[in-house]
Amino acid sequence: MKKTNDTNKITRKEAIKKMGKYAALTAIGTFVILNPQKAQASSPPDPGGNPFD
Amino acid sequence: MKSALAPTLDKSFGDYYVLWYANSNSYSIVDGNFKDILDLYLGAPDLNAFQNELNHLSAKEVQNIKAKLDSYLSSCQVEQDSTNHFDATFDKNHRNLSKTYKIGDNSFRLYSDRKQVEDALHPSLAQYEIQDVNKVNTVFDVYLNENNLHLFQNEALLLAVPKTEYHFIQGKFHMAVSNLIHHKNETDWLGTLHGSTITNGDTALLFIGNSGSGKSTLCSLLVAHGYSLLADDISPLAKSNTHVYYNPAAISIKENAFKIIEPLLPQIKTLPDVFFNPSKGVLKYLPCPKPEQLHYPCNAIVLVNYNPESTTQLETISVKEVLETIIPDSWLHPGIAYAGAFLNWLSTTSFYKLTYSDTDSMVKTISDLFKA
């Protein structure tokens, strides 16, 4: 599983203050990337332990 | 620019967009600002054109934005790490134990090499065990060999993984059993969602949450109040009608929930303790009556948050919060038609977060939600 987060340092407010036409675009915004499992799975086990022993 | 890296699908969900990338089967949730600038970047014929659109910014600032977008786009092409699957040939010398089941018109047998391995699969289907040893339609074999767990269906390998990844064996087994009882194959499903589904005989609600959030406890309490369990932990979503289908597995309950459930479902005391993984502790599998129909439409997803200090609250939440919870532990078919149908289904679905500690007010809230 992979999850990536990013928040740009330039806030929307600062950006709008800065300029005109594409002011909103200077605030690059936020994103998250999520990957599903490649196979069916039940709830993942907690780390550690030694199953079936 | 970079149009080859553009998202294959996108859909708007209020303040967010969900973008889907075919190369990696990645789902990316972005806000409106990000979507605007990404569209501008992907639509610009070259860097100069992109710079011209952002001519109020310095060249350095534009470079900075470009670097961030490039890094984002390349991250969206990276596939999920493959689970440690490998090939194996069938060996019938591991058939030390056997259980036979009948669900509807399907009968099947499960052979295993030892009790601990049998306990990873059998207790969840114990209510369907039969003593009949006549011919069965399907035979499963599960066994441990050199620290790897193997699962075969009619002597063909379904999956082999290191034993610590046994949750994939459980997932594959329940998928195979669902295929049998619903007369489907893997390509008939949009995915198997990590969550438990409850029905009132008319529609269904999907309860999601990270391990330990109390979804199985909540489902047990709802079953005690007359609702039917459609699926515990693995909820199969069909491509043809986007209904959630019946998963015959019993509800898996951890030791710390026994005392919450016992007053309402005293039969839990008589259920056998199951112990095959020290990190999960003792489990009990609560069998539930089969719902009237084998599939129901599901129009709402509820994120479960058990908090002993809190009163019962139901609030709407964003697609971001729902997908961050559900996607990393779900299997979603990687085909474009499947991803498109999944996004369409999500767009017709409402998203809630339920915080609760008191059973009666939780049941009342869910009853109202079913009526909504």
Side-chain angles (χ1 to χ4, degrees):
Chain A
M1 104 186 54
K2 172 168 71 82
K3 187 170 142 181
T4 314
N5 264 301
D6 186 44
T7 308
N8 192 281
K9 297 278 191 293
I10 315 166
T11 68
R12 187 182 173 88
K13 201 175 154 198
E14 283 167 356
I16 289 167
K17 220 160 119 190
K18 243 172 159 181
M19 9 223 106
K21 191 180 168 196
Y22 283 112
L25 301 181
T26 59
I28 190 170
T30 60
F31 65 82
V32 56
I33 304 167
L34 303 164
N35 288 90
Q37 293 291 341
K38 290 182 93 172
Q40 302 81 19
S42 64
S43 282
D46 301 326
N50 194 7
F52 312 113
D53 273 359
Chain B
M1 279 193 306
K2 303 264 182 185
S3 54
L5 301 182
T8 318
L9 299 173
D10 66 76
K11 198 155 194 81
S12 157
F13 289 82
D15 295 338
Y16 292 101
Y17 288 83
V18 178
L19 314 179
W20 180 74
Y21 293 84
N23 287 346
S24 56
N25 195 22
S26 299
Y27 288 80
S28 175
I29 301 110
V30 305
D31 64 16
N33 282 351
F34 190 90
K35 176 76 164 55
D36 286 347
I37 202 156
L38 181 68
D39 284 348
L40 193 67
Y41 184 58
L42 293 168
D46 53 37
L47 185 58
N48 276 341
F50 184 56
Q51 262 169 340
N52 287 339
E53 295 283 5
L54 301 175
N55 58 11
H56 54 288
L57 296 181
S58 70
K60 197 178 166 198
E61 284 168 318
V62 174
Q63 274 301 333
N64 192 20
I65 289 174
K66 180 186 181 304
K68 276 183 179 287
L69 293 173
D70 285 346
S71 158
Y72 164 79
L73 287 167
S74 63
S75 296
C76 289
Q77 306 301 315
V78 180
E79 273 192 82
Q80 157 83 349
D81 292 342
S82 177
T83 40
N84 246 331
H85 303 174
F86 47 83
D87 279 334
T89 48
F90 178 67
D91 179 356
K92 69 176 176 191
N93 292 315
H94 298 279
R95 287 181 169 176
N96 300 323
L97 302 169
S98 98
K99 297 283 185 189
T100 307
Y101 308 90
K102 191 167 192 324
I103 307 177
D105 56 357
N106 283 282
S107 54
F108 55 94
R109 185 162 297 140
L110 173 68
Y111 288 107
S112 54
D113 63 326
R114 68 193 78 184
K115 178 78 167 56
Q116 294 96 320
V117 169
E118 186 182 75
D119 275 353
L121 301 183
H122 164 70
S124 67
L125 291 182
Q127 73 178 112
Y128 290 108
E129 187 184 356
I130 55 168
Q131 299 308 318
D132 190 351
V133 289
N134 288 335
K135 198 174 179 308
V136 292
N137 311 118
T138 305
V139 174
F140 294 99
D141 283 84
V142 62
Y143 57 83
L144 195 57
N145 193 17
E146 294 176 350
N147 280 333
N148 295 317
L149 208 49
H150 301 72
L151 178 67
F152 293 85
Q153 180 173 356
N154 295 333
E155 304 190 6
L157 181 70
L158 284 182
L159 191 66
V161 292
K163 68 174 186 173
T164 50
E165 294 184 19
Y166 66 83
H167 57 301
F168 288 108
I169 295 284
Q170 291 175 321
K172 189 59 90 176
F173 178 65
H174 287 297
M175 174 93 281
V177 171
S178 294
N179 285 341
L180 283 180
I181 63 178
H182 299 301
H183 308 288
K184 290 188 180 292
N185 59 53
E186 219 167 280
T187 56
D188 293 321
W189 305 105
L190 292 186
T192 52
L193 305 179
H194 179 227
S196 302
T197 308
I198 289 285
T199 176
N200 64 350
D202 188 18
T203 61
L205 299 175
L206 171 65
F207 294 93
I208 63 167
N210 294 324
S211 186
S213 61
K215 4 179 234 305
S216 293
T217 308
L218 178 137
C219 287
S220 309
L221 297 171
L222 289 171
V223 166
H225 282 84
Y227 292 96
S228 299
L229 178 78
L230 192 56
D232 180 52
D233 198 36
I234 300 173
S235 293
L237 187 67
K239 182 170 187 273
S240 60
N241 55 8
T242 60
H243 284 192
V244 174
Y245 276 62
Y246 178 54
N247 171 353
I251 304 181
S252 142
I253 298 167
K254 290 181 189 158
E255 198 170 9
N256 58 7
F258 295 169
K259 63 178 185 304
I260 302 170
I261 294 167
E262 221 175 79
L264 287 162
L265 296 163
Q267 68 266 38
I268 196 167
K269 273 189 225 164
T270 62
L271 294 170
D273 288 344
V274 177
F275 186 86
F276 60 88
N277 179 10
S279 84
K280 283 268 186 200
V282 175
L283 300 173
K284 283 181 185 278
Y285 285 85
L286 178 71
C288 299
K290 204 168 159 182
E292 212 168 289
Q293 289 169 211
L294 289 179
H295 54 93
Y296 290 90
C298 174
N299 303 319
I301 299 177
V302 182
L303 176 61
V304 177
N305 177 29
Y306 178 79
N307 179 351
E309 309 296 317
S310 175
T311 54
T312 301
Q313 290 172 43
L314 186 74
E315 55 193 315
T316 57
I317 55 170
S318 70
V319 69
K320 181 167 180 275
E321 208 167 342
V322 166
L323 293 186
E324 280 182 323
T325 306
I326 202 169
I327 287 189
D329 290 324
S330 295
W331 166 72
L332 293 172
H333 194 292
I336 182 169
Y338 295 79
F342 177 64
L343 290 178
N344 285 339
W345 172 70
L346 279 178
S347 70
T348 61
T349 304
S350 307
F351 308 131
Y352 301 96
K353 180 174 181 175
L354 171 74
T355 305
Y356 83 103
S357 60
D358 171 65
T359 304
D360 290 341
S361 63
M362 176 278 284
V363 173
K364 169 84 172 59
T365 303
I366 295 303
S367 159
D368 292 345
L369 187 55
F370 265 120
K371 289 177 203 149

